[in-house]
């Protein structure tokens, strides 16, 4: 019986001790009750209404997430540290042995500081879960961590070698300058704070995916337009090749245009692709001109002018391209005919005329053969000359634009 009483008595002691501890409050809670007694978080934390509340803003961290040139926005996550003096809060540090106290942000009056250049702000911590640090002398320190979608006036003239500077403007939203001012240092004039975010593009992706393929396509197209292997076949395939290249270059230009803001000036990469389109288009026009001259040479006995033969170093081949060579040979053959008399003269005369016709036919075939060879040589040299001109011009245009 004695042991049972002792056990019950011990349980009662433990119960009352735990009940006593459950009703006890910590020093921090006592301090919070003291400084929050009579505190009104709906008014500006200054005793004199004419005083200006100075908010010191510093940038603790920043990370760029997305840079959208088409929308001219930059998305970044950053932490701004705000610090100001709350004249309604203070305590004796030696009495409570507490220098800094953590309080919920909703307990105090915080300045409505916002990033005014941002079109969308996503706070990573809910307002009910955010805390501020309060010092014994009334200094309040707030951490504002969020993801911002900030407007950015971009200059993409040198895209993809461009460098953008985006301005981030932060300051009070409803208060005037006479009520709340923001500073970022002791030597800065009170005003709204501007932070400059400078980003430099890495051009390797655009160089390997757009610039180099466009240049290679143009080079291959020029070789296809002015190669000398199609003189015996259908030269119309060269025009088809040029038109296909124009379509592919137009698709690449559309890709660049979709990635850029709609401004009055094309970026550097867009100018390069547009210049390549013009090079191919002019090459196609010259290919059509050569095709027309080739057709006229076979159907209308077109003779190249002397200056063109001189440029192609074919001045000695002009005799094969003469229009009157058939008539000259026909006159010579008529003068060499023999008059037959006597019995059988009619048969011999017919035989001689037949042989003369065969001889003229063979001579005409020889003349056409040499003439065709001369034209093949002429158009081969013309194609090679145009090939060199367009390849050198394309290289110069590329170097000029890329160098800028």
């Amino acid at each position: 019986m004695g042991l049972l009483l002792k056990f019950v008595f011990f349980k009662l002691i433990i119960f009352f001790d735990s009940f006593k501890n459950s009703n006890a409050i910590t020093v921090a809670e006592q301090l919070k009750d003291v400084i929050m007694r009579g505190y009104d978080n709906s008014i500006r934390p200054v005793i004199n209404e004419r005083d200006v509340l100075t908010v010191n803003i510093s940038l603790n961290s920043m990370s760029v997430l997305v840079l959208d040139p088409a929308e001219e926005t930059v998305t970044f996550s950053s932490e701004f540290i705000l610090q100001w003096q709350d004249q309604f809060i203070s305590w004796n540090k030696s009495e409570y042995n507490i220098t800094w106290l953590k309080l919920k942000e909703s307990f105090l009056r915080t300045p409505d500081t916002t990033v005014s250049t941002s079109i969308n702000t996503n706070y990573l911590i809910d307002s009910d879960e955010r805390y501020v640090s309060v010092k014994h002398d009334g200094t309040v320190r707030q951490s504002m961590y969020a993801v911002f979608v900030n407007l950015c006036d971009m200059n993409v003239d040198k895209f993809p070698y461009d460098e953008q500077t985006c301005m981030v403007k932060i300051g009070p939203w409803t208060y005037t300058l006479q009520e709340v001012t923001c500073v970022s240092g002791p030597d800065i004039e009170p005003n709204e704070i501007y932070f400059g975010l400078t980003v430099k593009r890495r051009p390797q992706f655009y160089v390997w995916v757009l610039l180099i393929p466009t240049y290679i396509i143009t080079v291959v197209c020029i070789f296809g337009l002015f190669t000398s292997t199609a003189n015996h076949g259908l030269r119309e395939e060269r025009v088809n090749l040029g038109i296909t290249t124009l379509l592919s270059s137009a698709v690449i230009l559309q890709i660049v245009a979709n990635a850029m803001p709609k401004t009055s000036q094309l970026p550097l990469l867009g100018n390069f692709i547009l210049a390549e389109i013009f090079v191919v288009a002019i090459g196609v026009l010259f290919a059509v001109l050569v095709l027309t001259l080739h057709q006229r040479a076979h159907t209308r006995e077109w003779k190249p002018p002397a200056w063109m033969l001189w440029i192609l170093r074919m001045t000695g081949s002009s005799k094969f391209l003469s229009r009157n060579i058939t008539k000259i040979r026909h006159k010579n053959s008529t003068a060499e005919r023999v008059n037959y008399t006597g019995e059988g003269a009619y048969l011999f005369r017919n035989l001689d005329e037949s042989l003369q016709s065969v001889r003229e036919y063979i001579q005409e075939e020889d003349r056409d053969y040499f003439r065709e060879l001369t034209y093949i040589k002429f158009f081969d040299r013309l194609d090679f000359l145009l090939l060199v001109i367009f390849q050198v011009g394309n290289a110069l245009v590329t170097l000029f634009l890329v160098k800028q």
Side-chain angles (χ1 to χ4, degrees), residues 170-300:
I170 182 172
W173 183 254
T174 58
Y175 288 107
T176 63
L177 187 62
Q178 288 73 28
E179 295 175 324
V180 175
T181 60
C182 297
V183 297
S184 59
D187 299 330
I188 306 299
E189 183 181 356
N191 206 333
E192 291 179 315
I193 307 302
Y194 289 86
F195 293 94
L197 174 61
T198 302
V199 291
K200 185 175 182 180
R201 194 186 307 273
R202 295 178 179 177
Q204 288 80 4
F205 173 80
Y206 297 95
V207 170
W208 288 103
V209 175
L210 295 177
L211 193 148
I212 293 180
T214 303
Y215 177 75
I216 293 176
I217 289 173
T218 305
V219 170
V220 173
C221 177
I222 293 174
F223 275 111
L225 287 175
F226 302 110
T227 184
S228 59
T229 59
N231 285 322
H232 296 283
L234 297 176
R235 298 175 65 94
E236 293 84 355
E237 295 299 327
R238 303 184 179 191
V239 180
N240 295 335
L241 173 63
I243 295 175
T244 304
T245 305
L246 287 175
L247 292 176
S248 61
S249 300
V251 171
I252 297 176
L253 182 61
Q254 184 66 29
I255 294 174
V256 177
N258 291 335
M260 293 293 100
K262 305 305 182 286
T263 59
S264 59
Q265 187 174 0
L266 275 177
L268 179 62
L269 183 58
N271 288 329
F272 168 74
I273 298 175
L274 191 61
E276 295 293 270
I277 290 177
F278 277 111
V279 169
V280 175
I282 296 174
V284 171
L285 292 179
F286 273 89
V288 172
L289 178 61
V290 174
L291 177 64
T292 303
L293 295 179
H294 202 177
Q295 189 269 344
R296 285 179 175 268
H298 286 285
T299 58
R300 303 184 185 181

Side-chain angles (χ1 to χ4, degrees), residues 8-254:
V8 173
F9 181 73
F10 181 73
K11 288 291 185 181
L12 290 174
I13 292 176
I14 294 176
F15 173 76
F16 283 112
D17 186 66
S18 61
F19 180 77
K20 179 181 178 181
N21 290 334
S22 63
N23 292 331
I25 59 175
T26 62
V27 178
E29 291 177 335
Q30 294 178 4
L31 178 59
K32 185 196 74 170
D33 293 337
V34 170
I35 62 179
M36 288 291 101
R37 188 179 301 121
Y39 186 88
D40 189 357
N41 61 0
S42 63
I43 62 174
R44 214 160 41 96
V46 291
I47 297 177
N48 188 355
E49 192 62 28
R50 295 183 179 180
D51 292 344
V52 179
L53 178 64
T54 301
V55 181
N56 193 301
I57 302 176
S58 61
L59 180 62
N60 188 35
S61 64
M62 176 177 287
S63 299
V64 177
L65 303 179
V66 178
L67 180 66
D68 191 347
E71 298 294 334
E72 293 192 84
T73 59
V74 57
T75 304
F76 62 90
S77 63
S78 64
E79 181 187 13
F80 293 98
I81 304 298
L82 284 68
Q83 184 172 303
W84 66 93
Q85 190 75 22
D86 193 325
Q87 298 180 6
F88 297 143
I89 296 178
S90 64
W91 69 85
N92 190 351
K93 181 177 66 173
S94 59
E95 180 180 353
Y96 294 94
N97 197 23
I98 295 176
T99 304
W100 289 92
L101 179 64
K102 291 286 186 180
L103 294 176
K104 280 195 173 184
E105 188 178 293
S106 57
F107 290 169
L108 303 181
R109 177 63 179 181
T110 57
D112 56 345
T113 305
T114 182
V115 178
S116 56
T117 53
S118 174
I119 59 176
N120 187 19
T121 303
N122 182 20
Y123 291 98
L124 302 184
I125 303 176
D126 294 335
S127 58
D128 296 337
E129 301 297 329
R130 292 199 294 264
Y131 284 82
V132 294
S133 298
V134 183
K135 197 175 181 181
H136 65 90
D137 60 354
T139 301
V140 182
R141 183 176 297 171
Q142 178 189 16
S143 174
M144 187 172 66
Y145 188 72
V147 176
F148 302 93
V149 181
N150 197 80
L151 294 175
C152 185
D153 188 12
M154 298 186 182
N155 184 7
V156 294
D157 294 345
K158 295 184 179 180
F159 173 83
Y161 303 98
D162 55 332
E163 180 177 311
Q164 306 297 336
T165 299
C166 305
M167 301 307 299
V168 180
K169 179 182 176 183
I170 182 172
W173 183 254
T174 58
Y175 288 107
T176 63
L177 187 62
Q178 288 73 28
E179 295 175 324
V180 175
T181 60
C182 297
V183 297
S184 59
D187 299 330
I188 306 299
E189 183 181 356
N191 206 333
E192 291 179 315
I193 307 302
Y194 289 86
F195 293 94
L197 174 61
T198 302
V199 291
K200 185 175 182 180
R201 194 186 307 273
R202 295 178 179 177
Q204 288 80 4
F205 173 80
Y206 297 95
V207 170
W208 288 103
V209 175
L210 295 177
L211 193 148
I212 293 180
T214 303
Y215 177 75
I216 293 176
I217 289 173
T218 305
V219 170
V220 173
C221 177
I222 293 174
F223 275 111
L225 287 175
F226 302 110
T227 184
S228 59
T229 59
N231 285 322
H232 296 283
L234 297 176
R235 298 175 65 94
E236 293 84 355
E237 295 299 327
R238 303 184 179 191
V239 180
N240 295 335
L241 173 63
I243 295 175
T244 304
T245 305
L246 287 175
L247 292 176
S248 61
S249 300
V251 171
I252 297 176
L253 182 61
Q254 184 66 29

